[in-house]
Amino acid sequence: MSTVPTQGPCNPACTKVVRFLTDHEVPANVGISLPPYTNIDHYRYINIFVRFSQTAGDEPPVDLGVIFAFDANGTMGARRYVNLEQNVSSPQSTNFIEVSGRGSWHGSPHNISSYLARFPVMGPFVEVFVYNRAAIARKVSVWGYLVS
């Protein structure tokens, strides 16, 4: 007996690319976001790619923060989460949704750093924040790859 793969609107998986920032100049020691929140409903995971200019391996990084919310205005937006799958003592601590770009330098002559962070979709809307920890301005790009 042979089985026929189930066909549906996202079988095989649906995907989508979201461009949050592309070569955006981020001033020194500044954290920014570019509203509004982006609709990512109907997807299960978001893979967020971060790329930034960096000329030496010992420079401070560009870090990524993520907020999930219920609408484009950020209603009920949250930057902290707790995963209750583990059986640990009460009370549960919340965790920041923030990723460090430290150690992601590609070296010279490329003079860029890049990294990828994968998150389960925890709300129908998302906004990203980038934090330039360096004392110099940086060109930063943040794109997302959504997967059903």
Side-chain angles (χ1 to χ4, degrees), residues 14-126:
C14 291
T15 62
K16 181 181 176 182
V17 173
V18 177
R19 293 182 174 116
F20 298 104
L21 306 165
T22 301
D23 293 332
H24 191 85
E25 186 89 8
V26 180
N29 299 308
V30 167
I32 66 161
S33 70
L34 296 178
Y37 283 72
T38 301
N39 187 338
I40 59 170
D41 204 11
H42 306 295
Y43 293 94
R44 292 186 179 151
Y45 295 97
I46 183 167
N47 302 300
I48 301 177
F49 294 75
V50 179
R51 185 183 68 207
F52 58 96
S53 58
Q54 182 173 346
T55 56
D58 61 351
E59 293 175 10
V62 170
D63 296 341
L64 171 71
V66 179
I67 295 181
F68 292 96
F70 282 90
D71 62 26
N73 295 320
T75 301
M76 295 293 293
R79 284 198 62 187
R80 292 181 170 267
Y81 76 99
V82 65
N83 185 347
L84 296 175
E85 290 179 10
Q86 299 176 12
N87 187 12
V88 294
S89 61
S90 180
Q92 298 290 314
S93 296
T94 59
N95 302 291
F96 247 120
I97 306 174
E98 188 169 301
V99 179
S100 174
R102 185 168 305 284
S104 61
W105 187 49
H106 291 237
S108 181
H110 306 291
N111 292 334
I112 62 165
S113 285
S114 67
Y115 59 95
L116 165 65
R118 180 177 173 89
F119 301 98
V121 170
M122 294 184 270
F125 287 79
V126 68

